[in-house]
Amino acid sequence: LATHGSGDGIWDWDVTNKAVYFSTRWRAQLGISAARELDMRDWFDRVHPSDLPPLRAAIDDLRSGRAKRLHHEYRARDAEARFRWLLVRGHAVFDDNGRAVRIAGSQTDISDTKLHDQATGLPNELCFIERCAAAVADRSTSAAVLVLQFDSIESTPGADGNATDKLIAMVSRRIVAVLSQAAEPARIGHAEVAVLLQGLNSQAEAVALAHGIYLQLSAARATLPGKSLGHSAAASSTTR
């Protein structure tokens, strides 16, 4: 009951008999039907290619006794073919000869915490990099990255300890209001915001959007935290 309430999925590998159990919650995390019989290959087939070797190595270390426990983060495809970030845990049971006979543990979907800035709730740098990689792979459309850099204002007289967090959140709301197309700002640094724009017609369009955002922020300067706030905007684009 406690495990069910936590939202964790359960996996239990009978190493000796080459059988593995995956709970309904575990299957849901990877978009696998509850009716299918699975083996370890079904799991590994859904793991991101870059993450599969480290995951296998972590499980092998536990199985061989080189590691006391499994605690490993990796990416795997869900039912919509999106890669989710997962945290898998496990412990092994050994026989009298020191061979692993059973490995069991849990799995947690950590995508929200892994891909979002905890102070503002915005997508973080890792999430933004993944989105950019997907945009580069999609050669059917053009894309541009807009980056805005701000002076950190915690040292401004009268500013509280999370003043820059408040600034980033406010700026992001204004960016969303300016852009006519769907675009979600991401926090890629302490005082940096980036936006990925897709479906542009030219590099000039990207520059125009960056200039429009800059003008909007300049006009709103008096309402932004920090009297001595300086800011700059830069745009780069790739056109196909």
Side-chain angles (χ1 to χ4, degrees), residues 31-42:
I32 300 176
S33 168
R36 283 184 54 195
E37 289 191 11
L38 304 177
D39 58 27
M40 295 294 283
R41 288 174 298 181
D42 293 297

Side-chain angles (χ1 to χ4, degrees), residues 23 31-32 47 53 65 87 93 113 122 129 204 207 212-213:
S23 71
I32 300 176
V47 176
L87 169 63
V93 175
T113 56
L122 294 170
I129 290 172
V207 174
I213 292 172

Side-chain angles (χ1 to χ4, degrees), residues 6 8 17 24 27 33 36 38 41 47-48 68 83 97 117 128 133 150 192 215 221 223-224 232 236:
S6 70
D8 289 350
N17 296 310
T24 300
R27 290 166 179 260
S33 168
R36 283 184 54 195
L38 304 177
R41 288 174 298 181
V47 176
H48 191 287
K68 298 299 182 183
F83 282 105
N97 296 315
D117 175 58
F128 189 71
F150 301 87
E192 289 182 294
L215 291 178
R221 184 186 182 96
T223 67
L224 297 175
S232 60
S236 63

